[in-house]
Amino acid sequence: MHTPEWTEQLYQLVDSLPRHQVTSYGALAKAIGGVGPRQVARAMGQLPEDTQLPWHRVIRSDGTLAEHARADEQESRLLADGIPVSRNRVHRRHFHRFN
DNA sequence: CCATTGACCAGCT
DNA sequence: AAGCTGGCCAATG
């Protein structure tokens, strides 16, 4: 398997996410540059199951949670982080702004 | 404010 | 080569 070279930067960005904030695949893609949101999403899906990265804080740009194998776990992790999720959606005010 | 639609996207199988 | 993704954005109602 071949991991793209931008993944290290992706991991660092995700790892630096403040505890009570979320971000989107697209926002990360922009912050990295030259990659698309779906590539970021795929990279998240490839993370090992026991990763320490807060992958659960990466959601869709419209605030809804994407549908994938660990979606339920994602919701409970967000709630455990103190990030409210109602009707499968996180409010915009919890999005992190990259500088 | 929310939901839907359609064009665009890149990496699989 | 067709079809499916952990998506995004703008436009629309």
Side-chain angles (χ1 to χ4, degrees):
Chain A
M1 132 168 36
H2 175 274
T3 35
E5 61 288 349
W6 46 265
T7 49
E8 267 311 312
Q9 190 184 357
L10 171 63
Y11 296 158
Q12 191 218 321
L13 286 170
V14 173
D15 199 40
S16 72
L17 273 176
R19 194 174 159 71
H20 291 78
Q21 292 185 327
V22 298
T23 189
S24 74
Y25 307 98
L28 289 168
K30 272 192 210 167
I32 293 168
V35 310
R38 314 207 61 157
Q39 298 173 265
V40 171
R42 186 174 45 82
M44 299 312 281
Q46 296 307 317
L47 287 173
E49 189 175 351
D50 61 354
T51 182
Q52 297 303 304
L53 284 180
W55 54 269
H56 57 282
R57 297 188 199 140
V58 186
I59 66 183
R60 292 193 183 127
S61 64
D62 67 357
T64 62
L65 304 192
E67 300 170 2
H68 60 281
R70 307 180 72 178
D72 289 344
E73 182 187 353
Q74 180 166 34
E75 174 168 354
S76 43
R77 279 186 182 231
L78 286 172
L79 295 173
D81 276 0
I83 300 172
V85 180
S86 69
R87 266 179 313 239
N88 210 56
R89 166 166 290 179
V90 172
H91 192 278
R92 292 173 42 74
R93 82 175 115 274
H94 297 96
F95 274 78
H96 174 69
R97 296 184 167 224
F98 289 104
N99 293 328

